[in-house]
Amino acid sequence: MATACAQTPAATSAAKPNVVIVATGGTIAGAGATSANSATYQAAKVPVDKLIAGIPELSNVANVRGEQAFQIASESFTNEKLLQLGKRVSALVKDPGVDGVVITHGTDTLEETSFFLNLVIRTEKPIVLVGSMRPGTAMSADGMLNLYNAVVLAGTPSARGKGVLVAMNDDILTGRDAAKRINIKTSAFASAWGPLGMVVENQAYWFRAPVKRHTTQSEFDIDTLQSLPEVHIVYGYGNMAPTLYDAAVKAGAKAVIHAGTGNGSVPDYAVETLRRVRSSGIHVIRASRIADGFVIRNSEQPDDKYDWVVAHDLNPQKAKILAALALGKTNSTAELQRIFWEY
Ligand code: GLU
């Protein structure tokens, strides 16, 4: 008698989705000295083939193969590495033999890479970023189930067309606004606007859909992108030094993200410096150092008058990614602001 379990993966390998795991390092490939080392370990040690071999259950849900793009901790990502990864993922999703792509990634800058890929890869196919908070050598390591869930998601037809996704701690988040919000718990990733759904026992359950432009609806395209301009972030705080903006410009920034207090506010003694930065042709983008909420245009500061841009709900590091892409297309403040509203 046939079993009634509708979620049992198909038995023949031809019926299973083909998923490529592109590994970049991070804690999910980390190793500690003892099983009690949940927070002290070396990231980026275990090669992708060993990660895959450690989860035999993967072969029940997909035909999986691995590629080692990098073996780094994600704080060491650069613009060059983002471009290199993006071009490889773009090539993979163009392959008719690939149904979905999983990217293993350190959690520190996973939110930057997920947003970048969400903006530049023109595909309906699922692209899923995944990491872990504990190395595989630790008790209650979270990487195995996270990676298994990511592979399930990458092979799930209902994940198509939803933009780049993040699979962490059973949650499905959009790569646009998923962010690392706790640095020490397995529940590290969240979005101010909530998860899109969850993966539970080989099945994706959806509760929301993204409304911002992404992937096939994006005006950005990795295949024509050769480089990204420098964009730097200056943090706002009481008694901050306005000369930090000048340092960002000196470092080559074409735009400065002001990670302001509250509603992206700027200290009265720093306004003139920022206005001078804008007069010199460098864009000023007001974001907030607060994880939730969004910056309101012409509130706190007269953005129209000063010709500044607001980052909407994007955190400063995500605003940096979008600004760099936008500046490759336009130097107009109005256009930059349109882009910040739409993505
Ligand atoms: N800092 C390392 C990284 O981002 C380890 C953190 C992690 O992956 O959770 O790759």
Side-chain angles (χ1 to χ4, degrees), residues 26-28 41 43 72-75 105-109 132-133 180:
T27 296
I28 196 164
Y41 54 86
I72 60 171
S74 68
E75 61 270 24
H105 200 290
T107 57
D108 285 3
T109 64
S132 76
M133 294 301 292
K180 186 174 186 178

